[in-house]
Amino acid sequence: MSLRQIAQSLGVSITTVSRALAGYSDVSAATRERVVAEAHRIKYVPNEVARRLQRGRADGIGFIVPGGARGFDDRYFLNMVEGAWWRLSGTEVDLLVLSSDQGPTEALTYRRIVEGGRVDGLLVPRIRENDSRIDYLCEVGFPFIAFGAEPSHPKAYAYVDIDTEAATAEAMRHLAELGHRSVALLSSDEPMVFARSREAAFLKAAAGLGISTTILCGKLAEASGFAMMSELLARPDRPTAAISITDRIGIGAVRAVREHGLTVGPDMSVITFGDNPVVAFMHPPMTAISIPVQAMTAHAVDYLLARRDRADAPLTRIWKTELIVRESTAAPRGRSLASDLPLAV
């Protein structure tokens, strides 16, 4: 059923029908009511592609999950999808979710989405060092918001992030108060800005507390967390606690402690960044630095929606985290709670 049929039935122009259905104020209320009633009667469904072309909008927000199909194994990205979906629910804006391996395929995917006009803006997760995604989007002037920021990038761009220094300092104070004097960070050897940021914050907090440190790097996966923790446990002078930069690493680390016949907490305390819902139901439940990923994503979507109407200055929003203390952290075996450590960081 077409606009022409409605126009012929009511004896008005196609332009009048189109503007009435679009809600323009130059069409009288009486005419609009007649047009809408006739459209309902003949079960008219508007051509969304044509409407979007007319408005110059795609009515879509894009999210390209890195890592190909395996990227959906990471709860962090699913939390982003949930946050974006929650914000867009009830609107006429769609969420377009794709996945792509890093490298040439990813670059082509970004170009295809941008140059094809399929979305109005992009959510760009886990910023990398020398990130080609950011370089391309800045070059073409396409609206996007990043999760994390590369400090050395020559152009300012919109991003959301957490207060990594404050989050790490709170976690380290918690361990210090329990009596830990040696702590490891289970990090990543991948060129991720958030990994370098958490490493720097870890070293700064440890220095302020007089805690000795170890940093191990692997992949952002459970198996890597297992391997890094196994390496720590094999050391005669092993640390008494570890912080993992992601839930997936932390889950693998806890499994390693248990498989080595040790008790998580007294023998090796573990804290994780992220607070994936599953960590609260592990054995034991994990102490976590809870990152409000869904709220951050909803806020990022708001920014992209606003950018459709105006080109505001890039948004920068730093979010607070919360340390959720559970059973995976405890005083080291044979050591009482500390009261003599400097707790100001």
Side-chain angles (χ1 to χ4, degrees):
M1 299 299 181
S2 67
L3 295 178
R4 185 182 300 277
Q5 182 177 347
I6 298 174
Q8 290 175 345
S9 175
L10 298 178
V12 297
S13 69
I14 294 176
T15 299
T16 297
V17 172
S18 176
R19 296 183 72 81
L21 292 174
Y24 283 97
S25 59
D26 59 351
V27 179
S28 70
T31 299
R32 183 179 299 110
E33 289 177 7
R34 291 176 61 215
V35 170
V36 170
E38 181 65 10
H40 287 164
R41 187 186 71 80
I42 67 173
K43 296 181 174 59
Y44 167 74
V45 177
N47 184 322
E48 286 299 326
V49 175
R51 290 180 65 186
R52 289 169 180 173
L53 285 173
Q54 185 181 35
R55 294 197 301 268
R57 290 182 177 177
D59 285 339
I61 300 297
F63 176 39
I64 301 173
V65 179
R70 294 302 302 271
F72 290 100
D73 291 345
D74 196 324
R75 178 69 199 188
Y76 176 83
F77 297 132
L78 295 179
N79 282 340
M80 287 186 65
V81 170
E82 288 179 6
W85 176 87
W86 172 81
R87 176 58 187 87
L88 294 173
S89 179
T91 72
E92 294 185 353
V93 179
D94 298 323
L95 177 65
L96 178 63
V97 181
L98 303 93
S99 64
S100 178
D101 291 316
Q102 295 181 29
T105 301
E106 183 179 62
L108 288 173
T109 301
Y110 270 82
R111 288 185 180 277
R112 177 166 53 85
I113 296 303
V114 170
E115 294 171 10
R118 299 181 63 183
V119 296
D120 299 308
L122 284 165
L123 303 166
V124 184
R126 283 189 175 161
I127 301 308
R128 306 167 196 143
E129 298 166 332
N130 303 313
D131 201 317
S132 60
R133 300 172 298 174
I134 302 301
D135 292 341
Y136 167 68
L137 293 171
C138 286
E139 178 185 351
V140 299
F142 191 78
F144 74 94
I145 185 166
F147 284 68
E150 188 177 358
S152 61
H153 198 277
K155 292 188 177 180
Y157 55 83
Y159 71 91
V160 292
D161 205 349
I162 62 169
D163 189 338
T164 301
E165 280 199 8
T168 308
E170 184 180 15
M172 291 292 281
R173 282 196 301 270
H174 170 64
L175 293 174
E177 289 166 356
L178 290 172
H180 294 276
R181 303 291 190 273
S182 179
V183 180
L185 183 73
L186 307 182
S187 189
S188 171
D189 54 14
E190 300 175 47
M192 297 291 180
V193 169
F194 83 92
R196 304 292 84 78
S197 175
R198 291 174 192 180
E199 290 167 7
F202 171 72
L203 293 174
K204 181 178 180 180
L209 292 165
I211 291 177
S212 62
T213 61
T214 301
I215 297 179
L216 294 181
C217 293
K219 303 303 178 185
L220 298 172
E222 293 86 350
S224 188
F226 185 95
M228 286 188 283
M229 179 57 77
S230 296
E231 180 181 337
L232 281 180
L233 296 175
R235 298 183 178 186
D237 58 344
R238 70 187 184 217
T240 57
I243 298 176
S244 69
I245 66 165
T246 69
D247 286 329
R248 297 185 68 182
I249 291 175
I251 289 169
V254 166
R255 175 73 177 270
V257 175
R258 296 185 62 201
E259 290 209 1
H260 280 75
L262 301 173
T263 302
V264 177
D267 293 321
M268 177 63 73
S269 288
V270 181
I271 297 177
T272 183
F273 270 91
D275 202 24
N276 176 334
V278 74
V279 305
F281 296 95
M282 293 178 62
H283 179 64
M286 289 179 69
T287 295
I289 299 166
S290 182
I291 300 174
V293 178
Q294 294 185 17
M296 292 168 67
T297 308
H299 190 76
V301 169
D302 279 333
Y303 170 78
L304 292 176
L305 293 176
R307 276 294 309 272
R308 300 190 307 169
D309 297 317
R310 61 184 187 273
D312 288 343
L315 164 82
T316 299
R317 173 74 187 272
I318 305 299
W319 293 73
K320 293 182 178 180
T321 60
E322 180 182 4
L323 182 67
I324 309 296
V325 177
R326 301 189 180 102
E327 297 170 31
S328 70
T329 49
R333 196 177 294 281
R335 188 176 296 170
S336 60
L337 298 183
S339 59
D340 57 343
L341 282 176
L343 298 183
V345 180

